[in-house]
Amino acid sequence: LIYPNPSSGSVEFNFSNGNTSTSFDSSLQINLFDSLGHKIHVIKTINASGIFISKENLAPGIYFYELFKGKDKITSGKIVVQ
């Protein structure tokens, strides 16, 4: 779950879905891309509940993310920062 989306502040990636093998798995990785497809962040260390990305690290715009567990892509999507 990603919220708020769109965001005018920080963005939270929340992985608390009741599945402890996913929620606490240190092999999770988020790749964050700008609207041109350039990889701008790779986040490999994720705590039990998720991660925060502050607005100071993201200019207003559209971003795309991919969430991996090991080498398997779990999900992908879009984030809008205002």
Side-chain angles (χ1 to χ4, degrees), residues 47-63:
N47 66 24
S49 62
I51 60 148
F52 287 93
I53 299 175
S54 69
K55 182 180 179 179
E56 290 78 33
N57 295 326
L58 299 174
I62 298 173
Y63 298 88

Side-chain angles (χ1 to χ4, degrees), residues 8-34:
S8 58
S10 65
V11 176
E12 180 177 357
F13 289 79
N14 187 328
F15 305 111
S16 295
N17 61 2
N19 181 348
T20 56
S21 66
T22 299
S23 298
F24 296 91
D25 194 333
S26 63
S27 69
L28 290 175
Q29 175 177 311
I30 294 175
N31 297 328
L32 191 62
F33 301 89
D34 65 16

